Coordinates of all heavy atoms in Angstrom, one line a residue:
I1 N -2.8 -21.9 7.6 CA -4.2 -22.2 7.9 C -4.6 -23.4 7.0 O -4.4 -23.4 5.9 CB -5.1 -21.0 7.5 CG1 -4.8 -19.8 8.5 CG2 -6.6 -21.3 7.6 CD1 -5.6 -18.6 8.1
T2 N -5.3 -24.3 7.7 CA -5.9 -25.4 7.0 C -7.4 -25.4 7.1 O -7.9 -25.3 8.2 CB -5.3 -26.7 7.6 OG1 -3.9 -26.7 7.5 CG2 -5.8 -27.9 6.8
V3 N -8.1 -25.4 6.0 CA -9.5 -25.4 6.0 C -10.0 -26.7 5.5 O -9.7 -27.1 4.4 CB -10.1 -24.3 5.1 CG1 -11.6 -24.3 5.1 CG2 -9.6 -22.9 5.6
Y4 N -10.8 -27.5 6.3 CA -11.2 -28.8 6.0 C -12.7 -28.7 5.5 O -13.5 -28.0 6.1 CB -11.2 -29.8 7.2 CG -9.7 -30.0 7.6 CD1 -9.2 -29.3 8.7 CD2 -8.9 -30.9 6.9 CE1 -7.9 -29.5 9.1 CE2 -7.6 -31.1 7.3 CZ -7.1 -30.4 8.4 OH -5.8 -30.6 8.8
N5 N -13.1 -29.5 4.5 CA -14.4 -29.7 4.1 C -15.1 -28.4 3.8 O -16.3 -28.3 4.1 CB -15.2 -30.5 5.2 CG -14.6 -31.9 5.5 OD1 -14.2 -32.5 4.5 ND2 -14.6 -32.2 6.7
S6 N -14.5 -27.5 3.2 CA -15.1 -26.2 2.8 C -14.3 -25.6 1.7 O -13.1 -25.7 1.5 CB -15.1 -25.3 4.1 OG -15.8 -24.1 3.8
N7 N -15.0 -24.8 0.9 CA -14.4 -23.9 -0.1 C -13.9 -22.7 0.6 O -14.6 -22.3 1.6 CB -15.3 -23.6 -1.2 CG -15.7 -24.8 -2.1 OD1 -14.8 -25.6 -2.5 ND2 -17.0 -25.0 -2.3
Y8 N -12.9 -22.1 0.2 CA -12.4 -20.9 0.9 C -11.7 -20.0 -0.1 O -11.2 -20.4 -1.2 CB -11.5 -21.2 2.1 CG -10.2 -21.8 1.7 CD1 -9.1 -20.9 1.5 CD2 -10.0 -23.1 1.5 CE1 -7.8 -21.4 1.1 CE2 -8.7 -23.6 1.1 CZ -7.7 -22.8 0.9 OH -6.5 -23.3 0.5
Q9 N -11.6 -18.8 0.4 CA -10.8 -17.7 -0.4 C -10.2 -16.8 0.6 O -10.8 -16.4 1.5 CB -11.7 -17.0 -1.4 CG -10.9 -16.0 -2.2 CD -11.9 -15.4 -3.3 OE1 -12.9 -14.9 -3.0 NE2 -11.4 -15.4 -4.5
L10 N -8.9 -16.6 0.5 CA -8.1 -15.7 1.4 C -7.7 -14.5 0.6 O -7.1 -14.6 -0.4 CB -6.9 -16.5 2.0 CG -6.0 -15.6 3.0 CD1 -6.8 -15.2 4.2 CD2 -4.8 -16.4 3.4
L11 N -8.1 -13.3 1.2 CA -7.7 -12.0 0.5 C -6.9 -11.2 1.5 O -7.1 -11.2 2.7 CB -9.0 -11.3 0.2 CG -10.0 -11.9 -0.7 CD1 -11.2 -11.0 -0.9 CD2 -9.4 -12.3 -2.0
N12 N -5.9 -10.5 1.0 CA -5.1 -9.6 1.8 C -5.9 -8.3 2.0 O -7.0 -8.1 1.5 CB -3.7 -9.4 1.2 CG -3.7 -8.6 -0.1 OD1 -4.6 -8.1 -0.5 ND2 -2.5 -8.7 -0.7
A13 N -5.2 -7.3 2.6 CA -5.9 -6.0 2.9 C -6.2 -5.2 1.7 O -7.0 -4.3 1.7 CB -5.0 -5.2 3.9
K14 N -5.6 -5.6 0.6 CA -5.8 -4.9 -0.7 C -6.8 -5.7 -1.6 O -6.9 -5.4 -2.8 CB -4.5 -4.6 -1.4 CG -3.6 -3.7 -0.7 CD -2.3 -3.5 -1.4 CE -1.4 -2.6 -0.6 NZ -0.1 -2.4 -1.3
N15 N -7.4 -6.7 -1.0 CA -8.4 -7.6 -1.7 C -7.7 -8.4 -2.8 O -8.4 -8.8 -3.7 CB -9.5 -6.8 -2.3 CG -10.5 -6.3 -1.2 OD1 -10.7 -7.0 -0.2 ND2 -11.0 -5.1 -1.3
N16 N -6.5 -8.7 -2.7 CA -5.8 -9.6 -3.6 C -5.9 -11.0 -3.0 O -5.7 -11.2 -1.8 CB -4.3 -9.2 -3.8 CG -4.1 -7.9 -4.5 OD1 -4.9 -7.5 -5.4 ND2 -3.2 -7.1 -3.9
I17 N -6.1 -12.0 -3.9 CA -6.2 -13.4 -3.5 C -4.8 -13.8 -3.0 O -3.8 -13.7 -3.7 CB -6.7 -14.3 -4.6 CG1 -8.1 -14.0 -4.9 CG2 -6.6 -15.8 -4.2 CD1 -8.7 -14.7 -6.1
I18 N -4.7 -14.5 -1.9 CA -3.5 -15.0 -1.3 C -3.5 -16.5 -1.3 O -4.5 -17.1 -0.9 CB -3.3 -14.5 0.2 CG1 -3.3 -12.9 0.2 CG2 -2.0 -15.0 0.8 CD1 -2.2 -12.3 -0.5
T19 N -2.4 -17.1 -1.7 CA -2.3 -18.6 -1.7 C -1.2 -19.1 -0.8 O -1.2 -20.3 -0.5 CB -2.1 -19.1 -3.2 OG1 -0.9 -18.5 -3.7 CG2 -3.2 -18.8 -4.1
N20 N -0.3 -18.2 -0.4 CA 0.7 -18.6 0.5 C 1.3 -17.4 1.2 O 1.0 -16.3 0.9 CB 1.8 -19.5 -0.2 CG 2.5 -18.6 -1.2 OD1 2.4 -17.4 -1.3 ND2 3.2 -19.3 -2.1
G21 N 2.2 -17.7 2.2 CA 2.8 -16.5 2.9 C 2.2 -16.3 4.3 O 1.4 -17.1 4.8
N22 N 2.6 -15.2 4.9 CA 2.2 -14.8 6.2 C 0.8 -14.1 6.2 O 0.4 -13.6 5.2 CB 3.1 -13.8 6.8 CG 4.5 -14.4 7.0 OD1 4.6 -15.6 7.3 ND2 5.6 -13.6 6.8
L23 N 0.1 -14.2 7.3 CA -1.2 -13.5 7.5 C -0.9 -12.1 8.1 O 0.1 -11.9 8.9 CB -2.1 -14.2 8.5 CG -2.6 -15.5 8.0 CD1 -3.4 -16.2 9.1 CD2 -3.5 -15.3 6.8
G24 N -1.6 -11.1 7.7 CA -1.5 -9.7 8.2 C -2.8 -9.2 8.6 O -3.9 -9.7 8.3
T25 N -2.7 -8.0 9.2 CA -3.9 -7.3 9.7 C -4.7 -6.9 8.4 O -4.2 -6.5 7.4 CB -3.5 -6.0 10.4 OG1 -2.9 -6.4 11.6 CG2 -4.7 -5.2 10.7
G26 N -6.1 -7.1 8.5 CA -6.9 -6.8 7.4 C -7.2 -7.9 6.4 O -8.0 -7.8 5.5
Y27 N -6.5 -9.0 6.6 CA -6.7 -10.2 5.7 C -8.1 -10.8 6.1 O -8.5 -10.7 7.2 CB -5.7 -11.3 6.0 CG -4.4 -11.0 5.3 CD1 -3.8 -9.7 5.2 CD2 -3.7 -12.0 4.6 CE1 -2.6 -9.5 4.5 CE2 -2.5 -11.8 4.0 CZ -1.9 -10.5 3.9 OH -0.8 -10.3 3.3
V28 N -8.7 -11.4 5.1 CA -10.1 -11.9 5.3 C -10.1 -13.3 4.7 O -9.7 -13.5 3.5 CB -11.2 -11.1 4.6 CG1 -12.5 -11.6 4.9 CG2 -11.1 -9.6 5.1
L29 N -10.6 -14.3 5.5 CA -10.8 -15.7 5.0 C -12.3 -15.9 4.9 O -13.0 -15.8 5.8 CB -10.2 -16.7 6.0 CG -10.4 -18.1 5.6 CD1 -9.7 -18.5 4.3 CD2 -10.0 -19.0 6.8
Y30 N -12.7 -16.2 3.6 CA -14.1 -16.5 3.4 C -14.2 -18.0 3.2 O -13.5 -18.6 2.4 CB -14.6 -15.8 2.1 CG -14.6 -14.3 2.1 CD1 -13.6 -13.6 1.6 CD2 -15.6 -13.6 2.7 CE1 -13.6 -12.2 1.6 CE2 -15.6 -12.2 2.7 CZ -14.6 -11.5 2.2 OH -14.6 -10.2 2.2
T31 N -15.1 -18.6 4.0 CA -15.4 -20.1 3.8 C -16.9 -20.2 3.4 O -17.6 -19.2 3.3 CB -15.1 -20.8 5.1 OG1 -16.2 -20.5 6.1 CG2 -13.8 -20.6 5.6
D32 N -17.3 -21.4 3.2 CA -18.7 -21.6 2.9 C -19.7 -21.1 3.9 O -20.8 -20.6 3.6 CB -19.0 -23.1 2.7 CG -18.3 -23.7 1.4 OD1 -18.1 -22.9 0.5 OD2 -18.1 -24.9 1.4
D33 N -19.2 -21.1 5.2 CA -20.1 -20.9 6.3 C -19.8 -19.6 7.1 O -20.7 -19.0 7.7 CB -20.2 -22.0 7.3 CG -20.6 -23.3 6.7 OD1 -21.5 -23.3 5.8 OD2 -20.0 -24.3 7.0
V34 N -18.5 -19.2 7.1 CA -18.1 -18.2 8.0 C -17.0 -17.3 7.3 O -16.2 -17.7 6.5 CB -17.4 -18.8 9.3 CG1 -16.9 -17.8 10.3 CG2 -18.3 -19.8 10.0
T35 N -17.0 -16.1 7.8 CA -16.0 -15.1 7.3 C -15.1 -14.8 8.5 O -15.6 -14.4 9.6 CB -16.6 -13.8 6.7 OG1 -17.4 -14.2 5.7 CG2 -15.6 -12.8 6.3
Y36 N -13.8 -14.9 8.4 CA -12.8 -14.5 9.4 C -12.0 -13.3 9.1 O -11.5 -13.2 8.0 CB -11.9 -15.7 9.7 CG -12.5 -17.0 10.1 CD1 -12.9 -18.0 9.2 CD2 -12.8 -17.2 11.5 CE1 -13.5 -19.1 9.6 CE2 -13.4 -18.4 11.9 CZ -13.8 -19.3 10.9 OH -14.4 -20.5 11.3
H37 N -11.9 -12.4 10.0 CA -11.1 -11.2 9.8 C -9.9 -11.3 10.7 O -10.0 -11.6 11.9 CB -11.8 -9.9 10.1 CG -13.0 -9.7 9.2 ND1 -12.9 -8.9 8.1 CD2 -14.3 -10.1 9.2 CE1 -14.1 -8.9 7.5 NE2 -14.9 -9.6 8.2
F38 N -8.6 -11.1 10.1 CA -7.4 -11.2 10.9 C -6.9 -9.9 11.3 O -6.8 -8.9 10.5 CB -6.4 -12.0 10.0 CG -6.7 -13.4 9.8 CD1 -7.4 -13.7 8.6 CD2 -6.4 -14.4 10.6 CE1 -7.8 -15.0 8.3 CE2 -6.7 -15.7 10.4 CZ -7.5 -16.0 9.2
I39 N -6.4 -9.9 12.6 CA -5.7 -8.7 13.1 C -4.5 -9.2 13.8 O -4.6 -10.1 14.6 CB -6.6 -8.0 14.1 CG1 -7.9 -7.4 13.4 CG2 -5.8 -6.9 14.8 CD1 -8.9 -6.9 14.4
V40 N -3.3 -8.7 13.4 CA -2.1 -9.1 14.0 C -1.6 -7.9 14.8 O -1.3 -6.8 14.3 CB -1.0 -9.5 12.9 CG1 0.3 -9.8 13.5 CG2 -1.5 -10.6 12.0
K41 N -1.6 -8.0 16.2 CA -1.2 -6.9 17.0 C 0.2 -6.4 16.6 O 1.1 -7.2 16.4 CB -1.1 -7.3 18.5 CG -2.4 -7.4 19.1 CD -3.0 -6.0 19.2 CE -4.2 -6.0 20.2 NZ -4.7 -4.7 20.3
G42 N 0.3 -5.1 16.4 CA 1.6 -4.5 15.9 C 1.6 -4.3 14.4 O 2.3 -3.3 14.0
D43 N 0.9 -5.0 13.6 CA 0.9 -4.9 12.2 C -0.1 -3.8 11.7 O -1.1 -4.1 11.1 CB 0.7 -6.2 11.5 CG 0.7 -6.1 10.0 OD1 1.4 -5.2 9.4 OD2 0.1 -7.0 9.3
S44 N 0.2 -2.6 12.0 CA -0.7 -1.5 11.7 C -0.7 -1.0 10.3 O -1.5 -0.2 9.9 CB -0.4 -0.3 12.7 OG 0.9 0.2 12.5
N45 N 0.2 -1.5 9.5 CA 0.3 -1.2 8.0 C -0.1 -2.4 7.1 O 0.0 -2.3 5.9 CB 1.6 -0.6 7.7 CG 2.8 -1.5 7.8 OD1 2.6 -2.7 8.1 ND2 3.9 -1.0 7.4
S46 N -0.5 -3.5 7.7 CA -1.1 -4.6 7.0 C -0.1 -5.3 6.0 O -0.5 -5.8 5.0 CB -2.4 -4.2 6.2 OG -3.3 -3.7 7.1
D47 N 1.2 -5.2 6.3 CA 2.2 -5.8 5.4 C 2.7 -7.2 5.9 O 3.6 -7.7 5.3 CB 3.3 -4.9 5.1 CG 4.2 -4.7 6.3 OD1 3.9 -5.2 7.5 OD2 5.3 -4.1 6.2
T48 N 2.1 -7.7 7.0 CA 2.4 -9.0 7.6 C 3.6 -9.0 8.5 O 4.0 -10.0 9.1 CB 2.5 -10.2 6.6 OG1 3.8 -10.1 5.9 CG2 1.4 -10.2 5.6
F49 N 4.4 -7.9 8.5 CA 5.6 -7.8 9.3 C 5.4 -6.8 10.5 O 4.6 -5.8 10.2 CB 6.8 -7.4 8.5 CG 7.1 -8.3 7.4 CD1 6.7 -8.0 6.1 CD2 7.7 -9.5 7.6 CE1 7.0 -8.8 5.0 CE2 8.0 -10.4 6.6 CZ 7.6 -10.0 5.3
I50 N 6.0 -7.0 11.6 CA 6.0 -5.9 12.6 C 7.4 -5.3 12.6 O 8.4 -5.9 13.0 CB 5.7 -6.5 14.0 CG1 4.3 -7.2 13.9 CG2 5.7 -5.5 15.1 CD1 3.9 -8.0 15.1
D51 N 7.4 -4.1 12.1 CA 8.7 -3.4 12.0 C 8.6 -1.9 12.0 O 7.6 -1.4 12.5 CB 9.4 -3.9 10.6 CG 8.5 -3.6 9.4 OD1 7.6 -2.7 9.5 OD2 8.8 -4.2 8.4
S52 N 9.6 -1.2 11.7 CA 9.6 0.3 11.8 C 8.5 0.9 10.9 O 8.1 2.0 11.2 CB 11.0 0.8 11.5 OG 11.4 0.5 10.1
G53 N 8.1 0.2 9.9 CA 7.0 0.7 9.1 C 5.7 0.9 9.9 O 5.0 1.8 9.7
D54 N 5.5 0.0 10.8 CA 4.3 0.0 11.6 C 4.4 1.2 12.6 O 3.4 2.0 12.9 CB 4.1 -1.3 12.4 CG 4.0 -2.4 11.4 OD1 3.0 -2.5 10.7 OD2 4.8 -3.3 11.4
L55 N 5.6 1.4 13.2 CA 5.9 2.5 14.1 C 5.6 3.8 13.3 O 5.0 4.7 13.9 CB 7.3 2.4 14.6 CG 7.7 3.6 15.5 CD1 6.9 3.5 16.9 CD2 9.2 3.5 15.9
L56 N 6.2 4.0 12.1 CA 6.0 5.2 11.4 C 4.5 5.4 11.1 O 4.0 6.6 11.2 CB 6.8 5.1 10.1 CG 6.7 6.3 9.1 CD1 7.2 7.5 9.8 CD2 7.5 6.0 7.9
R57 N 3.8 4.4 10.7 CA 2.4 4.6 10.4 C 1.6 5.0 11.7 O 0.7 5.9 11.6 CB 1.8 3.3 9.9 CG 0.3 3.4 9.4 CD 0.1 2.4 8.4 NE -1.3 2.4 8.0 CZ -1.9 3.1 7.0 NH1 -1.2 4.0 6.4 NH2 -3.2 3.0 6.7
M58 N 2.0 4.5 12.9 CA 1.4 5.0 14.1 C 1.7 6.4 14.4 O 0.8 7.2 14.8 CB 1.9 4.1 15.3 CG 1.4 2.7 15.2 SD 2.2 1.6 16.4 CE 1.6 2.2 17.9
V59 N 2.9 6.9 14.1 CA 3.3 8.2 14.3 C 2.5 9.1 13.4 O 1.9 10.2 13.8 CB 4.8 8.5 14.1 CG1 5.1 9.9 14.0 CG2 5.6 7.8 15.2
K60 N 2.4 8.8 12.1 CA 1.6 9.5 11.1 C 0.1 9.6 11.5 O -0.5 10.6 11.3 CB 1.7 8.9 9.7 CG 3.1 9.1 9.1 CD 3.2 8.6 7.7 CE 4.5 8.8 7.1 NZ 4.6 8.3 5.7
H61 N -0.4 8.5 12.1 CA -1.8 8.5 12.5 C -2.0 9.5 13.7 O -2.9 10.3 13.7 CB -2.2 7.1 13.0 CG -3.5 7.1 13.7 ND1 -4.7 7.2 13.0 CD2 -3.9 7.0 15.0 CE1 -5.7 7.1 13.8 NE2 -5.2 7.0 15.0
L62 N -1.0 9.5 14.6 CA -1.1 10.4 15.8 C -1.0 11.9 15.3 O -1.6 12.7 16.0 CB -0.1 10.1 16.8 CG -0.4 8.8 17.6 CD1 0.8 8.4 18.5 CD2 -1.7 8.8 18.4
R63 N -0.2 12.1 14.3 CA -0.1 13.5 13.8 C -1.2 13.9 12.9 O -1.3 15.1 12.5 CB 1.2 13.6 13.0 CG 2.5 13.5 13.8 CD 3.7 13.8 12.9 NE 4.9 13.9 13.7 CZ 6.1 13.9 13.1 NH1 6.2 13.8 11.8 NH2 7.1 14.0 13.9
G64 N -2.1 13.0 12.6 CA -3.2 13.3 11.8 C -3.0 13.2 10.3 O -3.8 13.6 9.5
N65 N -1.9 12.6 9.9 CA -1.5 12.5 8.5 C -2.1 11.3 7.8 O -2.1 11.2 6.6 CB 0.0 12.6 8.3 CG 0.6 13.8 8.8 OD1 0.0 14.9 8.8 ND2 1.9 13.8 9.2
V66 N -2.4 10.3 8.6 CA -2.9 9.0 8.1 C -4.1 8.6 9.0 O -4.1 8.8 10.2 CB -1.8 7.9 8.2 CG1 -2.4 6.5 8.0 CG2 -0.7 8.2 7.3
T67 N -5.1 8.0 8.3 CA -6.3 7.5 9.0 C -6.1 5.9 9.0 O -6.1 5.4 7.9 CB -7.6 7.9 8.4 OG1 -7.6 9.3 8.5 CG2 -8.8 7.3 9.2
L68 N -6.1 5.3 10.1 CA -6.0 3.9 10.1 C -7.4 3.2 9.9 O -8.4 3.8 10.3 CB -5.5 3.4 11.4 CG -4.1 3.8 11.9 CD1 -3.7 3.3 13.3 CD2 -3.1 3.4 10.9
S69 N -7.4 2.1 9.2 CA -8.7 1.4 9.1 C -9.1 0.9 10.5 O -8.3 0.9 11.4 CB -8.6 0.2 8.1 OG -7.8 -0.8 8.7
S70 N -10.3 0.3 10.6 CA -10.8 -0.2 11.9 C -9.9 -1.3 12.4 O -9.5 -1.4 13.5 CB -12.2 -0.6 11.9 OG -12.4 -1.6 10.9
Y71 N -9.5 -2.2 11.4 CA -8.6 -3.3 11.8 C -7.2 -2.8 12.1 O -6.6 -3.4 13.1 CB -8.5 -4.4 10.6 CG -9.9 -5.0 10.4 CD1 -10.6 -4.8 9.2 CD2 -10.5 -5.7 11.4 CE1 -11.8 -5.3 9.0 CE2 -11.8 -6.3 11.1 CZ -12.4 -6.0 10.0 OH -13.7 -6.6 9.7
E72 N -6.7 -1.9 11.4 CA -5.3 -1.3 11.7 C -5.3 -0.6 13.0 O -4.3 -0.7 13.7 CB -4.9 -0.4 10.6 CG -4.6 -1.0 9.3 CD -4.5 -0.1 8.1 OE1 -5.0 1.1 8.2 OE2 -3.9 -0.5 7.1
S73 N -6.4 0.0 13.4 CA -6.5 0.7 14.7 C -6.4 -0.3 15.8 O -5.8 -0.1 16.8 CB -7.8 1.5 14.8 OG -7.8 2.6 13.9
I74 N -7.1 -1.4 15.6 CA -7.0 -2.5 16.7 C -5.6 -3.1 16.8 O -5.1 -3.3 17.9 CB -8.1 -3.6 16.4 CG1 -9.5 -3.1 16.5 CG2 -7.9 -4.8 17.3 CD1 -10.6 -4.0 15.9
A75 N -5.0 -3.2 15.6 CA -3.6 -3.7 15.6 C -2.6 -2.7 16.3 O -1.6 -3.2 16.9 CB -3.2 -4.0 14.2
A76 N -2.9 -1.4 16.1 CA -2.0 -0.4 16.7 C -2.2 -0.2 18.1 O -1.3 0.4 18.8 CB -2.1 0.9 15.9
E77 N -3.3 -0.5 18.6 CA -3.6 -0.3 20.1 C -3.0 -1.4 20.9 O -3.5 -2.5 21.1 CB -5.2 -0.3 20.2 CG -5.6 0.6 21.4 CD -5.2 0.1 22.7 OE1 -5.7 -0.9 23.2 OE2 -4.3 0.7 23.3
L78 N -1.8 -1.1 21.4 CA -1.0 -2.1 22.1 C -1.0 -2.1 23.6 O -0.5 -3.0 24.2 CB 0.5 -1.9 21.6 CG 0.7 -2.0 20.1 CD1 2.1 -1.7 19.8 CD2 0.2 -3.3 19.5
T79 N -1.7 -1.1 24.2 CA -1.7 -1.1 25.7 C -3.0 -1.4 26.3 O -3.2 -1.3 27.5 CB -1.3 0.4 26.1 OG1 -2.2 1.3 25.5 CG2 0.1 0.7 25.8
N80 N -4.0 -1.8 25.4 CA -5.3 -2.2 25.8 C -6.1 -1.1 26.7 O -6.8 -1.5 27.6 CB -5.3 -3.5 26.6 CG -4.7 -4.6 25.8 OD1 -5.0 -4.7 24.6 ND2 -3.8 -5.4 26.3
D81 N -5.9 0.1 26.3 CA -6.6 1.2 27.0 C -7.6 1.9 26.1 O -8.1 3.0 26.3 CB -5.6 2.2 27.6 CG -4.8 3.0 26.5 OD1 -4.9 2.7 25.3 OD2 -4.0 3.8 26.9
S82 N -7.9 1.3 24.9 CA -8.8 1.8 23.9 C -8.5 3.0 23.2 O -9.3 3.8 22.7 CB -10.2 1.9 24.6 OG -10.7 0.7 25.1
A83 N -7.2 3.4 23.2 CA -6.7 4.6 22.5 C -5.4 4.4 22.0 O -4.5 3.6 22.5 CB -6.7 5.8 23.5
I84 N -5.1 4.9 20.8 CA -3.8 4.8 20.2 C -3.0 6.1 20.6 O -3.5 7.2 20.3 CB -3.8 4.7 18.7 CG1 -4.6 3.5 18.3 CG2 -2.4 4.7 18.1 CD1 -4.9 3.4 16.8
D85 N -2.0 6.0 21.4 CA -1.3 7.2 22.0 C 0.2 6.9 22.2 O 0.7 5.9 21.7 CB -2.0 7.6 23.3 CG -2.1 6.5 24.3 OD1 -1.3 5.5 24.3 OD2 -3.0 6.6 25.2
S86 N 0.9 7.7 22.9 CA 2.3 7.6 23.1 C 2.7 6.3 23.8 O 3.8 5.7 23.6 CB 2.9 8.8 23.9 OG 2.2 8.9 25.1
G87 N 1.7 5.8 24.6 CA 2.0 4.5 25.3 C 2.1 3.4 24.3 O 3.0 2.5 24.5
D88 N 1.3 3.4 23.3 CA 1.4 2.4 22.2 C 2.7 2.5 21.4 O 3.3 1.5 21.1 CB 0.2 2.5 21.3 CG -1.1 2.3 22.1 OD1 -1.3 1.2 22.6 OD2 -1.9 3.3 22.1
L89 N 3.1 3.8 21.2 CA 4.4 4.0 20.5 C 5.5 3.4 21.3 O 6.4 2.8 20.8 CB 4.6 5.5 20.2 CG 3.7 6.2 19.2 CD1 4.0 7.6 19.1 CD2 3.9 5.5 17.9
L90 N 5.5 3.7 22.6 CA 6.5 3.2 23.5 C 6.6 1.7 23.5 O 7.7 1.1 23.4 CB 6.3 3.7 24.9 CG 7.3 3.3 26.0 CD1 8.8 3.7 25.6 CD2 7.0 3.8 27.3
R91 N 5.5 1.0 23.5 CA 5.4 -0.5 23.5 C 6.0 -1.0 22.2 O 6.7 -2.0 22.1 CB 4.1 -1.0 23.7 CG 3.6 -0.9 25.2 CD 2.4 -1.7 25.5 NE 2.5 -3.1 25.2 CZ 3.1 -4.1 26.0 NH1 3.6 -3.7 27.2 NH2 3.1 -5.4 25.7
M92 N 5.7 -0.3 21.0 CA 6.2 -0.7 19.8 C 7.8 -0.5 19.7 O 8.5 -1.4 19.3 CB 5.6 0.1 18.6 CG 6.1 -0.2 17.3 SD 5.9 -1.9 16.7 CE 4.2 -1.8 16.1
V93 N 8.3 0.6 20.2 CA 9.7 0.8 20.3 C 10.3 -0.3 21.2 O 11.4 -0.9 20.7 CB 10.0 2.2 20.9 CG1 11.5 2.3 21.2 CG2 9.6 3.3 19.8
K94 N 9.8 -0.6 22.3 CA 10.3 -1.7 23.2 C 10.3 -3.0 22.4 O 11.3 -3.8 22.5 CB 9.5 -1.8 24.5 CG 9.8 -0.6 25.4 CD 9.0 -0.8 26.7 CE 9.3 0.3 27.7 NZ 8.6 0.1 29.0
Y95 N 9.3 -3.3 21.7 CA 9.2 -4.5 20.9 C 10.3 -4.6 19.9 O 11.0 -5.6 19.7 CB 7.8 -4.7 20.3 CG 7.7 -5.9 19.5 CD1 7.4 -7.1 20.1 CD2 7.9 -5.9 18.1 CE1 7.2 -8.3 19.4 CE2 7.7 -7.1 17.4 CZ 7.4 -8.2 18.0 OH 7.3 -9.4 17.2
L96 N 10.4 -3.5 19.1 CA 11.4 -3.4 18.1 C 12.8 -3.5 18.6 O 13.7 -4.1 17.9 CB 11.2 -2.2 17.2 CG 9.9 -2.1 16.4 CD1 9.8 -0.8 15.7 CD2 9.8 -3.3 15.4
K97 N 13.1 -3.0 19.8 CA 14.4 -3.1 20.4 C 14.6 -4.4 21.1 O 15.8 -4.8 21.4 CB 14.5 -2.0 21.5 CG 14.7 -0.6 20.9 CD 14.8 0.5 22.0 CE 15.9 0.2 22.9 NZ 16.1 1.2 23.9
G98 N 13.6 -5.2 21.3 CA 13.7 -6.5 21.9 C 13.6 -6.5 23.4 O 13.8 -7.5 24.1
S99 N 13.2 -5.4 23.9 CA 12.9 -5.3 25.4 C 11.7 -6.1 25.8 O 11.6 -6.6 27.0 CB 12.8 -3.8 25.8 OG 13.9 -3.1 25.5
I100 N 10.7 -6.2 24.9 CA 9.6 -7.0 25.2 C 9.4 -7.9 23.9 O 9.8 -7.6 22.8 CB 8.3 -6.2 25.4 CG1 7.9 -5.3 24.2 CG2 8.4 -5.4 26.7 CD1 6.6 -4.6 24.3
T101 N 8.7 -9.1 24.1 CA 8.6 -10.0 23.0 C 7.2 -10.2 22.5 O 7.0 -11.0 21.6 CB 9.2 -11.4 23.5 OG1 8.5 -11.9 24.6 CG2 10.7 -11.3 23.8
S102 N 6.3 -9.6 23.2 CA 4.9 -9.7 22.7 C 4.1 -8.5 23.2 O 4.6 -7.7 24.0 CB 4.2 -11.0 23.2 OG 4.1 -10.9 24.7
F103 N 2.9 -8.4 22.7 CA 2.0 -7.2 23.0 C 0.9 -7.7 23.9 O 0.2 -8.5 23.8 CB 1.4 -6.6 21.8 CG 2.5 -6.0 20.9 CD1 2.7 -6.6 19.6 CD2 3.3 -5.0 21.3 CE1 3.6 -6.1 18.8 CE2 4.3 -4.5 20.4 CZ 4.4 -5.0 19.2

């Protein structure tokens, strides 16, 4: 991200200042004028990667063992039907196996 003519601060989902690396779900960019919230489809655990950790977090959410933040919920909803369910899990599995390349 390049920000021109403005002061800015980028924070990760744990409110730590970020100066380099990948963007993840829950990251926030504060500028002089605007605040941007980042959501990366598939990154339901906010670690900047889409991997089995995200699948596990989705399973735990469906079992009621984990509550996703509002941003994580949007990232985990992969079928655009406004619900996190087995369809979203299936899309994640297909993505991780390489059967699909995007959400």
Side-chain angles (χ1 to χ4, degrees):
I1 295 177
T2 304
V3 179
Y4 296 100
N5 300 321
S6 182
N7 294 312
Y8 70 92
Q9 186 173 45
L10 179 63
L11 303 177
N12 67 12
K14 296 178 182 177
N15 289 321
N16 298 318
I17 295 174
I18 301 300
T19 57
N20 61 15
N22 298 325
L23 291 174
T25 295
Y27 281 40
V28 182
L29 176 65
Y30 297 99
T31 71
D32 291 335
D33 303 321
V34 181
T35 299
Y36 298 93
H37 295 268
F38 293 91
I39 297 170
V40 178
K41 282 294 195 179
D43 181 24
S44 61
N45 65 1
S46 302
D47 70 352
T48 76
F49 302 102
I50 301 170
D51 57 19
S52 59
D54 300 296
L55 179 65
L56 178 60
R57 188 151 172 87
M58 292 169 68
V59 169
K60 287 181 177 182
H61 172 75
L62 290 174
R63 288 185 174 172
N65 300 333
V66 167
T67 301
L68 300 178
S69 73
S70 58
Y71 298 115
E72 292 169 339
S73 293
I74 295 168
E77 208 297 286
L78 304 176
T79 58
N80 299 319
D81 64 359
S82 300
I84 301 168
D85 54 25
S86 60
D88 301 298
L89 290 176
L90 179 59
R91 284 194 58 84
M92 178 60 83
V93 168
K94 287 182 176 181
Y95 178 84
L96 295 174
K97 288 178 60 177
S99 301
I100 60 173
T101 58
S102 64
F103 300 114

